[in-house]
Amino acid sequence: MSKYREWLLSDYFDEETKAELKAIEGDEKEIEERFYKDLNFGTGGLRGIVGAGTNRMNKYTVQKATQGLANYIINYCDDGRERGVVIAYDSRHMSAEFALESALVLNGNGIKVYLFDELRPTPELSFAVRELKAVGGIVVTASHNPPEYNGYKVYWEDGGQVVPEQAREIIAEIAEIDDYDFVKKMANKETAVAEGLLEIIGNEIDDRYITEMIKVIPEQKLAVEKGDSISIIFTPLHGTANKPVRRVLKELGFTKVAVVEEQAEPDGDFPTVESPNPENFSAFKLALEKAKSFEPDLILGTDPDGDRMGIVVRDGEGNYLGLTGNQVGVLLTDFILNRMKEEGKLPDNGVVIKTIVTTEMLNRVAADYGVEVMNVLTGFKFIGEKIKEFEEKGDRTFIFGFEESYGYLAGTYARDKDAVVAVALAAVMTLYYQEQGMSVYDKLNELMDKYGYYQEDLAAIRLEGKEGEEKIAGTLAELREEKPEQICAIPVVSCSDYLAGKAYYYNNNREEEIKLPESNVLQYKLADDTLLTIRPSGTEPKLKLYFAVRADTKQEADDKIKDFKSRFLGEINEILESV
């Protein structure tokens, strides 16, 4: 309440902010939600509901976080001011405003800023940081969150998101700012440009980004010659990927591309979808309506900041079917490795990287090509970190990386997942298999017949606010204390506790060290090869549950995962009610 009153009475905060806070006067629960803590700067940055308060995304919390970042740059990088920071933003409410606020705070600290002239996809920001040899980057986005959210992700000089150790140091700098008066800010955009501290960037970076991206696409000659033999429907879901996706498809030779016009223009309300997330099949509703007349071979969708891609293909009966992120990742991996092998380009030290919650089917696919699979923690930043490590040591060659949440990257021009390159790869792959007399769906079934029917699913239990945080923390703590020997009446073979950094093997009471960074994750392997992973979301107030099974037929896999998911949700809800 004292923080609430401070924001109401202080001359520092503007009248619009005060009016919003006066409107909730007397609503103690709402005041608590807005002021019970400072908005977390997590392992990658800020994310929260847009509004007034210390636990909300607004210009003041953005300014404070940016001042902490500025202090970190000044304290840790001798030439950080001169090298500067690149800033991009998406189509969400206040994204452009927060991007400019961030720029002016950095400028106020004497740090050069390269600000994109309009919205751009997140992977282009990653590319631009490296291309401009900047010390870091910021992208203002809340990815696929609901419309009321916005966020702020921080990148470092390698083009990857800051990793936990760096994030902790930045958080420490932010924590030392106990008064908003410590924020230094340049007066306005015009002054910053005039003093040479703010440079607006545009098409020149787009051109270089597309040029480098296209270099990693296989079968370009085939695409140029026969790209017009397949038809594609594309939707950017009101986000940033419309221009770059249409451009790269056109340059590759895919001319029969129809865009879902109702979703082509940027719109932070995302009015045509329940959620602007290509992970949800419902996001393709308008695309599927368009498909009735256009009859495409492939339907593609990207999320608001252009780093996630979903695809819809025809099944064996001509119906349109949405593929999972795991299925797409396995298909793209197999396609890339196959083309590299046939062309004599497959490196002896090649590596494909996935996260610990991504399908185990990848291990079997990669093994047939003699390619190593490396596991990292959830979050593409850890894939980017490995790419950097490979380049520094020179002992491995990165080929492809993906995570189950529809994020993919081929090549090293960027260090974050890129929906634009994923779209290009999906189009070329579809064309290639068509030339072989088969569909993408046929190829998926061929892989399943060969390696087994892997099925994965996800449940996210939304737990809002302070009470929700406590329930999530309490549930994980209870599971750690209980150390269940059975889950859903199935014996537990092992439990990997990534927070403790240990894996426990129940059959012989053995422990071994986990050689990955600490993370609040529990992963259980059960006697029937079911894999269950539990963790709090890093970006939303959710407890996330990942289920993975393998069976000999599709029906068996479908039944197995449906049954296990249903039973475990009952068990976890009992724990949630008790904590």
Side-chain angles (χ1 to χ4, degrees), residues 234-535:
F234 168 62
T235 173
L237 298 178
H238 304 289
T240 62
N242 187 17
K243 289 182 180 180
V245 161
R246 293 168 77 168
R247 175 177 172 179
V248 76
L249 288 176
K250 183 178 179 181
E251 290 192 14
L252 284 169
F254 297 98
T255 56
K256 293 182 180 177
V257 179
V259 176
V260 179
E261 294 299 335
E262 301 94 323
Q263 297 172 331
E265 293 301 313
D267 189 333
D269 286 325
F270 310 111
T272 64
V273 290
E274 293 178 15
S275 170
N277 186 355
E279 294 180 69
N280 301 330
F281 190 64
S282 61
F284 290 96
K285 181 180 179 182
L286 291 180
L288 290 167
E289 288 179 8
K290 193 176 187 71
K292 293 174 184 176
S293 58
F294 193 74
E295 297 185 348
D297 300 292
L298 182 65
I299 300 174
L300 301 162
T302 55
D303 72 341
D305 69 320
D307 64 358
R308 298 176 192 234
M309 177 206 71
I311 78 174
V312 176
V313 300
R314 287 180 185 269
D315 67 13
E317 298 176 354
N319 301 310
Y320 286 105
L321 171 75
L323 300 185
T324 69
N326 282 312
Q327 290 170 338
V328 174
V330 166
L331 281 162
L332 291 177
T333 302
D334 180 75
F335 172 64
I336 291 168
L337 295 179
N338 178 273
R339 300 326 302 142
M340 293 180 81
K341 182 178 180 180
E342 290 298 314
E343 295 170 9
K345 297 178 180 178
L346 192 61
D348 294 335
N349 61 353
V351 179
V352 176
I353 308 177
K354 73 177 188 70
T355 66
I356 60 172
V357 296
T358 298
T359 182
E360 296 292 295
M361 183 178 179
L362 182 67
N363 297 333
R364 300 190 68 183
V365 173
D368 272 357
Y369 293 95
V371 170
E372 179 185 356
V373 174
M374 186 172 288
N375 279 299
V376 295
L377 291 176
T378 307
F380 220 90
K381 65 171 73 67
F382 298 109
I383 296 178
E385 184 181 29
K386 285 296 177 185
I387 297 172
K388 178 184 177 183
E389 179 185 307
F390 296 169
E391 288 192 346
E392 289 175 348
K393 292 183 177 179
D395 59 343
R396 290 179 172 91
T397 300
F398 173 78
I399 297 174
F400 190 65
F402 78 95
E403 55 186 3
E404 50 74 39
S405 55
Y406 293 58
Y408 319 94
L409 178 67
T412 60
Y413 64 92
R415 300 298 164 84
D416 208 342
K417 53 188 178 285
D418 189 349
V420 186
V421 78
V423 161
L425 287 166
V428 172
M429 177 177 70
T430 302
L431 173 62
Y432 177 79
Y433 289 134
Q434 180 175 284
E435 290 296 300
Q436 305 299 309
M438 66 192 307
S439 68
V440 170
Y441 181 76
D442 293 334
K443 184 62 182 181
L444 178 62
N445 282 318
E446 180 184 287
L447 292 172
M448 291 287 193
D449 287 341
K450 184 176 182 180
Y451 299 113
Y453 282 78
Y454 288 77
Q455 184 69 277
E456 295 84 21
D457 203 354
L458 169 69
I461 302 172
R462 195 171 191 90
L463 297 158
E464 301 271 9
K466 182 181 179 182
E467 183 181 342
E469 282 188 20
E470 291 169 350
K471 278 190 171 292
I472 290 171
T475 298
L476 286 160
E478 183 160 325
L479 285 168
R480 285 191 170 92
E481 184 177 347
E482 184 184 340
K483 289 187 172 62
E485 295 184 8
Q486 289 190 339
I487 294 176
C488 298
I490 305 169
V492 176
V493 173
S494 65
C495 172
S496 297
D497 184 344
Y498 287 84
L499 194 61
K502 293 179 180 178
Y504 304 93
Y505 295 87
Y506 285 68
N507 55 352
N508 55 13
N509 293 318
R510 180 171 57 87
E511 288 185 7
E512 66 179 42
E513 184 182 350
I514 295 174
K515 296 178 181 179
L516 286 175
E518 283 185 13
S519 185
N520 192 10
V521 180
L522 290 169
Q523 188 170 67
Y524 299 93
K525 185 173 183 180
L526 308 187
D528 66 348
D529 284 336
T530 295
L531 197 65
L532 169 68
T533 310
I534 308 170
R535 72 177 184 92

Side-chain angles (χ1 to χ4, degrees), residues 83-242:
R83 291 173 63 190
V85 173
V86 188
I87 301 179
Y89 58 92
D90 71 2
S91 58
R92 287 181 174 273
H93 296 306
M94 300 300 293
S95 282
E97 291 85 350
F98 292 156
L100 182 58
E101 290 290 342
S102 302
L104 294 178
V105 170
L106 291 169
N107 294 157
N109 286 271
I111 298 170
K112 169 97 178 198
V113 170
Y114 301 91
L115 176 65
F116 275 103
D117 57 359
E118 62 177 13
L119 72 174
R120 291 297 195 287
T122 289
E124 185 169 353
L125 180 279
S126 173
F127 169 81
V129 169
R130 289 164 49 78
E131 187 70 8
L132 295 170
K133 297 181 173 55
V135 73
I138 297 168
V139 60
V140 180
T141 177
S143 189
H144 57 285
N145 280 57
E148 62 269 24
Y149 280 78
N150 211 328
Y152 169 114
K153 293 192 290 190
V154 177
Y155 290 71
W156 205 237
E157 60 186 350
D158 64 317
Q161 290 186 51
V162 292
V163 292
E165 184 178 343
Q166 277 182 301
R168 284 190 288 270
E169 291 171 344
I170 295 170
I171 291 166
E173 294 288 352
I174 296 170
E176 289 188 13
I177 304 168
D178 55 10
D179 192 318
Y180 288 96
D181 285 326
F182 288 121
V183 173
K184 302 172 185 176
K185 182 185 167 188
M186 190 150 278
N188 52 56
K189 179 179 179 180
E190 293 71 25
T191 303
V193 170
E195 294 192 13
L197 285 170
L198 181 59
E199 182 177 333
I200 307 302
I201 55 176
N203 293 340
E204 69 280 8
I205 298 298
D206 300 340
D207 295 342
R208 285 138 72 178
Y209 166 61
I210 296 295
T211 297
E212 291 302 312
M213 178 200 307
I214 286 178
K215 289 178 181 178
V216 308
I217 307 296
E219 295 294 341
Q220 290 186 38
K221 186 174 183 290
L222 175 64
V224 170
E225 291 175 351
K226 296 190 176 182
D228 60 357
S229 67
I230 70 166
S231 56
I232 299 169
I233 287 179
F234 168 62
T235 173
L237 298 178
H238 304 289
T240 62
N242 187 17

